[in-house]
Amino acid sequence: MGFLSAILLGLLASLHCAGMCGGLQAALNRPQALRKPIENQLHLLSMNLGRVTLYIIAGTIIGFVGLSLGSVLDFPDWSTWLRRLAAIMIIVIGFQLLFSIDKPFSFLEKYGNKLWEKVKPYLNIVTPTTYVQSFRQGLVWGFLPCGLVYSVLSVASLSGSAWGGAITMLGFGIGTLPAMLLTGQMFWGFKRVLQKGAVQKSGGVFFILVGTLIFLAPQLASHKGLQQHPIFHTLASCFL
């Protein structure tokens, strides 16, 4: 999955993030009377940067594990199989958006719950006084079990490198930021746009097409006519 595709996925999935994490975020960032509005927003930003940082770390680790697994198993054409498995996962995410399937990976959350119970005591749900404290809370918050995050991590694990896994999770994290940072009328306007069935279904079709292109990339790349076409190179660099 390319960086731009990961951002788009984060945007389309961000309403799920706001619904699942909004209450916890509000509890962690209870405004202090002495704070200025801009200070509250900066604390909110610091907290979300902590969350996205954990996503990047997880993507880096799991991308490296996915790459190393091929070397350990000495599996022939490992990179080709990684690409195909990643394509299938992206297609599954596309169907998730297209048919509004809330939690196709919810079965993974029970495993995440065990880790969450261990790190949750470090959350300390008190109003942070410094931006560093908000950032640290965001790091712990990133462990909150979420089937959607796990589905994107599964794609990151098949990226073929630690860098690819990090980029995938960075893009996804950036895409979730608007819904988590916007407030008041701006948030509701953003929500109304994303809640439109046409937007979600278009996003689903987009990811199904991207997954299909990734799956068929070797065959498409061997086509001389496509190799020389500038549109093919642009799409490949942006989304594949």
Side-chain angles (χ1 to χ4, degrees):
M1 180 182 290
F3 181 63
L4 293 180
S5 297
I7 292 177
L8 179 60
L9 175 58
L11 279 171
L12 292 171
S14 59
L15 291 183
H16 166 87
C17 299
M20 181 173 182
C21 301
L24 178 59
Q25 176 177 262
L28 292 174
N29 193 46
R30 291 191 296 269
Q32 290 183 344
L34 297 178
R35 275 190 195 170
K36 297 178 181 179
I38 185 63
E39 291 176 336
N40 283 322
Q41 283 301 114
L42 289 175
H43 276 281
L44 191 61
L45 176 61
S46 299
M47 195 180 304
N48 278 278
L49 289 178
R51 175 178 60 85
V52 174
T53 297
L54 186 76
Y55 291 171
I56 296 171
I57 294 172
T60 302
I61 294 172
I62 202 166
F64 176 76
V65 170
L67 174 64
S68 302
L69 193 60
S71 301
V72 173
L73 297 176
D74 193 23
F75 195 81
D77 299 323
W78 179 247
S79 60
T80 301
W81 282 104
L82 280 179
R83 172 177 285 272
R84 288 174 177 172
L85 288 172
I88 292 171
M89 293 304 304
I90 292 171
I91 291 172
V92 169
I93 292 173
F95 278 108
Q96 176 185 354
L97 294 171
L98 183 61
F99 296 107
S100 301
I101 304 172
D102 290 334
K103 294 185 176 182
F105 296 91
S106 59
F107 66 94
L108 294 174
E109 292 184 11
K110 63 180 180 181
Y111 300 105
N113 275 324
K114 297 179 180 179
L115 179 60
W116 173 244
E117 290 300 322
K118 292 180 179 180
V119 301
K120 189 167 62 172
Y122 297 99
L123 196 59
N124 294 327
I125 303 182
V126 295
T127 304
T129 57
T130 68
Y131 299 125
V132 173
Q133 289 176 343
S134 290
F135 182 83
R136 289 174 180 171
Q137 284 190 334
L139 283 173
V140 180
W141 169 24
F143 283 97
L144 185 71
C146 176
L148 180 62
V149 173
Y150 297 154
S151 67
V152 184
L153 276 172
S154 67
V155 175
S157 71
L158 302 169
S159 62
S161 68
W163 173 254
I167 287 297
T168 297
M169 296 310 296
L170 171 62
F172 174 75
I174 290 175
T176 64
L177 288 177
M180 303 305 294
L181 295 177
L182 293 176
T183 58
Q185 292 300 318
M186 292 182 66
F187 170 76
W188 290 109
F190 180 76
K191 181 178 180 179
R192 279 194 295 270
V193 172
L194 287 188
Q195 276 185 327
K196 291 182 178 179
V199 173
Q200 292 290 314
K201 292 184 184 301
S202 297
V205 171
F206 171 80
F207 282 105
I208 291 171
L209 290 176
V210 167
T212 303
L213 285 173
I214 292 175
F215 194 91
L216 298 176
Q219 290 82 356
L220 295 175
S222 64
H223 193 285
K224 292 184 179 180
L226 284 175
Q227 284 180 346
Q228 299 173 356
H229 203 290
I231 294 180
F232 177 78
H233 289 286
T234 302
L235 289 173
S237 62
C238 290
F239 298 111
L240 305 185

